[in-house]
Amino acid sequence: MKKYILNTLIALGTLSLTSCEDVIDLQGITNAPSMLVVDGNVTDVSTNQVITLSQSQDYFNNATVKPVLGAAVTVTDSDGKIFTFKDLKGDGKYVWSPTTSEPKIGQVGKTYTLKITANGETYQAVSALKRVPKIDSIAYQFDEARLNQRDDDKGYPKEGYDAQFYARDFTGIGDCYRIIAYKNGKMLEMSNTVAIAYDAAIQKSSGAADGLIFSLPVRSTISPQLYLAGDTIKVELRSITEGHFDFWTQARLEVNNGGLFARPSANIPTNVNNVNSSSNKKAIGWFGTSAVSFSQTVVDPKKAQKGLR
Protein backbone atom coordinates (compact mmCIF):
# COMPACT_ATOMS: atom_id res chain seq x y z
CA MET A 1 0.00 0.00 0.00
CA LYS A 2 2.79 2.40 0.88
CA LYS A 3 4.39 1.90 -2.53
CA TYR A 4 1.07 2.78 -4.15
CA ILE A 5 0.86 5.91 -2.00
CA LEU A 6 4.37 7.01 -2.96
CA ASN A 7 3.71 6.46 -6.67
CA THR A 8 0.50 8.46 -6.39
CA LEU A 9 2.29 11.36 -4.69
CA ILE A 10 4.99 11.33 -7.37
CA ALA A 11 2.27 11.44 -9.99
CA LEU A 12 0.62 14.37 -8.22
CA GLY A 13 3.94 16.24 -8.08
CA THR A 14 4.55 15.67 -11.79
CA LEU A 15 1.08 16.93 -12.64
CA SER A 16 1.59 20.12 -10.66
CA LEU A 17 4.85 20.83 -12.45
CA THR A 18 3.23 20.44 -15.88
CA SER A 19 0.08 22.40 -14.93
CA CYS A 20 -2.22 19.50 -15.86
CA GLU A 21 -5.65 19.24 -14.29
CA ASP A 22 -6.34 15.49 -14.46
CA VAL A 23 -8.17 14.04 -11.45
CA ILE A 24 -6.30 11.38 -9.47
CA ASP A 25 -8.46 8.69 -7.85
CA LEU A 26 -7.26 7.96 -4.29
CA GLN A 27 -9.90 5.32 -3.62
CA GLY A 28 -7.28 2.57 -3.46
CA ILE A 29 -5.62 4.31 -0.54
CA THR A 30 -8.79 4.83 1.48
CA ASN A 31 -10.16 1.30 0.86
CA ALA A 32 -7.06 -0.74 1.73
CA PRO A 33 -7.83 -4.06 3.48
CA SER A 34 -7.36 -4.05 7.24
CA MET A 35 -4.70 -6.38 8.63
CA LEU A 36 -3.79 -7.73 12.04
CA VAL A 37 -0.90 -5.75 13.58
CA VAL A 38 1.30 -7.63 16.05
CA ASP A 39 3.75 -5.95 18.44
CA GLY A 40 5.25 -8.33 20.98
CA ASN A 41 8.53 -9.35 22.55
CA VAL A 42 9.27 -12.12 25.05
CA THR A 43 12.34 -11.62 27.28
CA ASP A 44 14.27 -13.46 29.98
CA VAL A 45 13.39 -10.75 32.53
CA SER A 46 11.01 -11.53 35.38
CA THR A 47 8.35 -8.96 34.50
CA ASN A 48 5.03 -8.70 32.65
CA GLN A 49 5.31 -9.81 29.03
CA VAL A 50 2.97 -7.99 26.64
CA ILE A 51 1.76 -8.74 23.11
CA THR A 52 -0.30 -5.92 21.58
CA LEU A 53 -2.84 -6.67 18.85
CA SER A 54 -4.55 -4.03 16.72
CA GLN A 55 -6.01 -3.53 13.25
CA SER A 56 -4.32 -1.51 10.53
CA GLN A 57 -6.31 1.37 9.08
CA ASP A 58 -6.40 3.54 5.97
CA TYR A 59 -3.51 5.91 5.35
CA PHE A 60 -5.58 9.07 5.85
CA ASN A 61 -7.58 7.71 8.80
CA ASN A 62 -6.57 9.68 11.91
CA ALA A 63 -8.90 7.83 14.25
CA THR A 64 -7.58 6.04 17.33
CA VAL A 65 -6.07 2.67 16.46
CA LYS A 66 -8.63 -0.10 16.95
CA PRO A 67 -7.50 -2.90 19.32
CA VAL A 68 -8.20 -6.54 18.55
CA LEU A 69 -10.36 -7.93 21.36
CA GLY A 70 -11.38 -11.46 22.24
CA ALA A 71 -8.32 -13.14 20.73
CA ALA A 72 -6.72 -16.32 22.07
CA VAL A 73 -2.98 -15.73 22.50
CA THR A 74 -0.39 -18.28 23.60
CA VAL A 75 3.39 -18.64 23.49
CA THR A 76 4.89 -22.14 23.47
CA ASP A 77 8.56 -22.84 24.11
CA SER A 78 10.61 -25.54 22.40
CA ASP A 79 10.06 -27.85 25.41
CA GLY A 80 6.29 -27.71 24.86
CA LYS A 81 5.52 -25.40 27.80
CA ILE A 82 2.50 -23.19 27.02
CA PHE A 83 2.13 -19.64 28.38
CA THR A 84 -1.31 -18.03 28.06
CA PHE A 85 -1.62 -14.28 27.50
CA LYS A 86 -4.82 -12.51 28.59
CA ASP A 87 -6.35 -9.14 27.68
CA LEU A 88 -7.05 -8.09 31.26
CA LYS A 89 -8.09 -4.50 30.52
CA GLY A 90 -9.91 -5.00 27.23
CA ASP A 91 -7.44 -2.78 25.37
CA GLY A 92 -5.79 -5.28 23.00
CA LYS A 93 -2.73 -5.69 25.25
CA TYR A 94 -2.41 -9.39 26.03
CA VAL A 95 -0.34 -9.96 29.18
CA TRP A 96 1.47 -12.84 30.87
CA SER A 97 2.55 -12.13 34.45
CA PRO A 98 5.34 -13.91 36.36
CA THR A 99 4.52 -16.08 39.37
CA THR A 100 6.55 -17.70 42.11
CA SER A 101 6.50 -21.01 40.24
CA GLU A 102 7.07 -19.39 36.84
CA PRO A 103 9.16 -16.24 37.37
CA LYS A 104 9.93 -15.77 33.66
CA ILE A 105 9.36 -17.14 30.18
CA GLY A 106 12.52 -16.54 28.21
CA GLN A 107 15.60 -18.76 28.31
CA VAL A 108 18.61 -18.41 26.02
CA GLY A 109 18.77 -21.21 23.47
CA LYS A 110 15.04 -21.95 23.38
CA THR A 111 12.67 -21.24 20.49
CA TYR A 112 9.26 -19.65 21.05
CA THR A 113 6.10 -19.98 18.96
CA LEU A 114 3.39 -17.32 19.15
CA LYS A 115 -0.14 -18.45 18.24
CA ILE A 116 -2.98 -15.97 17.78
CA THR A 117 -6.57 -16.89 17.00
CA ALA A 118 -8.63 -13.81 16.17
CA ASN A 119 -11.63 -13.02 13.97
CA GLY A 120 -11.85 -16.60 12.71
CA GLU A 121 -8.20 -16.75 11.60
CA THR A 122 -5.09 -18.29 13.19
CA TYR A 123 -1.68 -16.69 12.94
CA GLN A 124 1.74 -17.95 13.99
CA ALA A 125 5.26 -16.59 14.48
CA VAL A 126 8.48 -18.30 15.60
CA SER A 127 11.56 -16.71 17.20
CA ALA A 128 14.73 -18.02 18.87
CA LEU A 129 16.04 -16.37 22.04
CA LYS A 130 19.69 -15.44 21.48
CA ARG A 131 22.55 -14.66 23.87
CA VAL A 132 23.45 -11.15 25.05
CA PRO A 133 26.77 -9.88 26.49
CA LYS A 134 27.16 -8.11 29.82
CA ILE A 135 27.41 -4.30 29.78
CA ASP A 136 30.79 -3.51 31.32
CA SER A 137 30.32 0.18 32.11
CA ILE A 138 28.80 3.55 31.23
CA ALA A 139 31.14 6.55 30.81
CA TYR A 140 30.39 10.23 30.19
CA GLN A 141 32.18 13.50 29.48
CA PHE A 142 31.15 17.15 29.54
CA ASP A 143 30.33 18.49 26.07
CA GLU A 144 28.24 20.90 24.03
CA ALA A 145 25.24 19.53 22.19
CA ARG A 146 25.82 18.27 18.68
CA LEU A 147 23.42 19.30 15.92
CA ASN A 148 21.39 16.11 16.24
CA GLN A 149 21.06 16.68 20.01
CA ARG A 150 19.71 20.23 19.82
CA ASP A 151 15.96 20.72 19.85
CA ASP A 152 14.87 23.97 21.47
CA ASP A 153 11.20 23.06 21.16
CA LYS A 154 11.73 20.00 23.36
CA GLY A 155 13.97 21.75 25.87
CA TYR A 156 17.01 19.56 25.33
CA PRO A 157 20.18 20.76 27.15
CA LYS A 158 22.63 22.77 25.04
CA GLU A 159 25.48 21.56 27.20
CA GLY A 160 25.85 18.64 29.53
CA TYR A 161 27.25 15.11 29.54
CA ASP A 162 27.65 12.91 26.48
CA ALA A 163 27.47 9.22 27.45
CA GLN A 164 28.64 5.92 26.00
CA PHE A 165 28.23 2.33 27.14
CA TYR A 166 30.87 -0.37 26.84
CA ALA A 167 30.28 -4.04 26.02
CA ARG A 168 31.99 -6.67 23.89
CA ASP A 169 30.26 -8.64 21.16
CA PHE A 170 30.46 -12.43 21.37
CA THR A 171 32.78 -14.31 19.01
CA GLY A 172 30.74 -15.69 16.12
CA ILE A 173 29.29 -13.76 13.20
CA GLY A 174 25.65 -12.70 13.29
CA ASP A 175 24.85 -11.67 16.85
CA CYS A 176 22.30 -8.85 16.69
CA TYR A 177 21.22 -6.38 19.33
CA ARG A 178 18.85 -3.54 20.14
CA ILE A 179 20.00 -0.73 22.47
CA ILE A 180 17.52 1.18 24.65
CA ALA A 181 18.46 4.12 26.91
CA TYR A 182 16.53 5.68 29.78
CA LYS A 183 16.98 9.11 31.35
CA ASN A 184 15.59 9.37 34.88
CA GLY A 185 13.38 6.36 34.22
CA LYS A 186 11.99 7.59 30.89
CA MET A 187 12.88 5.86 27.65
CA LEU A 188 14.70 8.20 25.28
CA GLU A 189 13.79 8.72 21.64
CA MET A 190 16.80 7.22 19.90
CA SER A 191 18.31 8.68 16.74
CA ASN A 192 16.79 7.29 13.52
CA THR A 193 13.91 5.80 15.52
CA VAL A 194 15.70 2.73 16.89
CA ALA A 195 19.29 1.80 17.81
CA ILE A 196 20.45 -1.60 16.62
CA ALA A 197 23.78 -3.35 16.10
CA TYR A 198 25.08 -6.28 14.06
CA ASP A 199 27.97 -7.83 15.97
CA ALA A 200 29.93 -4.77 17.18
CA ALA A 201 28.91 -2.49 14.29
CA ILE A 202 25.95 -0.30 13.46
CA GLN A 203 25.33 -2.13 10.15
CA LYS A 204 25.80 -5.64 8.77
CA SER A 205 29.38 -6.64 7.99
CA SER A 206 31.20 -9.77 6.83
CA GLY A 207 32.87 -10.46 10.16
CA ALA A 208 35.06 -7.35 10.46
CA ALA A 209 33.30 -6.32 13.70
CA ASP A 210 32.91 -9.79 15.19
CA GLY A 211 34.04 -10.27 18.79
CA LEU A 212 35.07 -6.65 19.32
CA ILE A 213 34.06 -3.92 21.77
CA PHE A 214 31.03 -2.14 20.33
CA SER A 215 32.06 0.60 17.91
CA LEU A 216 31.71 4.30 18.77
CA PRO A 217 28.55 4.78 16.63
CA VAL A 218 26.90 1.96 18.61
CA ARG A 219 28.16 3.06 22.03
CA SER A 220 27.05 6.68 21.55
CA THR A 221 23.47 5.80 20.57
CA ILE A 222 22.53 6.19 24.24
CA SER A 223 23.06 9.98 23.92
CA PRO A 224 20.44 11.29 21.49
CA GLN A 225 20.46 14.23 23.94
CA LEU A 226 22.84 15.32 26.68
CA TYR A 227 22.51 14.37 30.33
CA LEU A 228 22.79 16.75 33.31
CA ALA A 229 24.51 16.30 36.67
CA GLY A 230 22.36 14.08 38.86
CA ASP A 231 20.58 12.39 35.93
CA THR A 232 20.20 8.62 36.09
CA ILE A 233 21.34 6.83 32.93
CA LYS A 234 20.07 3.31 32.37
CA VAL A 235 21.13 1.22 29.37
CA GLU A 236 19.36 -1.92 28.21
CA LEU A 237 21.07 -4.23 25.71
CA ARG A 238 18.72 -6.75 24.09
CA SER A 239 19.58 -9.68 21.87
CA ILE A 240 17.45 -9.95 18.74
CA THR A 241 17.40 -12.39 15.84
CA GLU A 242 18.89 -11.44 12.48
CA GLY A 243 15.37 -11.37 11.05
CA HIS A 244 14.35 -8.86 13.74
CA PHE A 245 17.44 -6.80 12.90
CA ASP A 246 16.31 -6.73 9.25
CA PHE A 247 12.81 -5.70 10.35
CA TRP A 248 14.15 -2.72 12.34
CA THR A 249 16.56 -1.78 9.55
CA GLN A 250 13.77 -1.61 6.97
CA ALA A 251 11.38 0.13 9.36
CA ARG A 252 14.02 2.78 10.08
CA LEU A 253 14.62 3.31 6.36
CA GLU A 254 10.91 3.79 5.72
CA VAL A 255 10.42 6.23 8.62
CA ASN A 256 13.36 8.37 7.45
CA ASN A 257 12.62 8.04 3.73
CA GLY A 258 11.75 11.45 2.32
CA GLY A 259 12.94 14.50 0.46
CA LEU A 260 13.63 15.14 -3.19
CA PHE A 261 15.78 12.03 -3.62
CA ALA A 262 13.65 9.58 -1.63
CA ARG A 263 13.97 6.01 -2.85
CA PRO A 264 10.97 3.84 -3.79
CA SER A 265 9.17 2.55 -0.74
CA ALA A 266 9.51 -1.13 0.21
CA ASN A 267 7.49 -3.54 2.33
CA ILE A 268 8.60 -4.00 5.93
CA PRO A 269 9.14 -7.74 6.66
CA THR A 270 7.04 -9.70 9.16
CA ASN A 271 7.41 -13.09 10.81
CA VAL A 272 3.67 -13.38 11.58
CA ASN A 273 1.87 -15.62 9.09
CA ASN A 274 -1.67 -16.90 8.65
CA VAL A 275 -1.58 -20.70 9.07
CA ASN A 276 -4.19 -20.90 6.31
CA SER A 277 -2.03 -20.07 3.30
CA SER A 278 -5.09 -19.70 1.05
CA SER A 279 -6.63 -16.98 3.24
CA ASN A 280 -6.41 -13.35 2.13
CA LYS A 281 -6.28 -12.19 5.77
CA LYS A 282 -2.70 -11.10 6.41
CA ALA A 283 -0.73 -9.82 9.38
CA ILE A 284 2.04 -7.27 9.82
CA GLY A 285 4.44 -6.47 12.66
CA TRP A 286 6.93 -8.68 14.49
CA PHE A 287 7.10 -11.15 17.36
CA GLY A 288 10.55 -11.07 18.95
CA THR A 289 12.53 -12.72 21.73
CA SER A 290 15.34 -11.14 23.74
CA ALA A 291 17.83 -11.82 26.47
CA VAL A 292 18.46 -8.55 28.29
CA SER A 293 21.44 -7.07 30.15
CA PHE A 294 21.28 -3.80 32.12
CA SER A 295 23.60 -1.16 33.50
CA GLN A 296 22.82 2.06 35.35
CA THR A 297 24.72 5.06 36.70
CA VAL A 298 24.11 8.55 38.07
CA VAL A 299 25.96 11.44 36.41
CA ASP A 300 28.57 12.78 38.81
CA PRO A 301 30.69 15.69 37.46
CA LYS A 302 33.64 14.46 39.56
CA LYS A 303 33.61 11.14 37.69
CA ALA A 304 33.32 12.62 34.19
CA GLN A 305 36.06 11.57 31.77
CA LYS A 306 37.84 13.48 29.04
CA GLY A 307 38.60 12.50 25.47
CA LEU A 308 36.16 9.58 25.23
CA ARG A 309 36.58 7.71 21.94
Side-chain angles (χ1 to χ4, degrees), residues 62-128:
N62 294 321
T64 302
V65 173
K66 183 180 179 181
V68 172
L69 307 179
V73 180
T74 61
V75 171
T76 305
D77 68 20
S78 48
D79 291 335
K81 175 66 178 178
I82 300 175
F83 303 87
T84 301
F85 286 64
K86 297 181 179 181
D87 185 5
L88 302 176
K89 297 181 178 180
D91 57 0
K93 296 182 183 297
Y94 293 77
V95 181
W96 177 89
S97 298
T99 64
T100 303
S101 59
E102 291 179 341
K104 62 181 181 179
I105 293 179
Q107 293 185 38
V108 173
K110 287 189 177 183
T111 299
Y112 295 82
T113 301
L114 169 67
K115 182 180 178 182
I116 301 167
T117 301
N119 300 324
E121 302 285 346
T122 300
Y123 303 85
Q124 184 173 290
V126 179
S127 182

Side-chain angles (χ1 to χ4, degrees), residues 141 146 148:
Q141 65 180 355
R146 301 186 296 271
N148 65 332

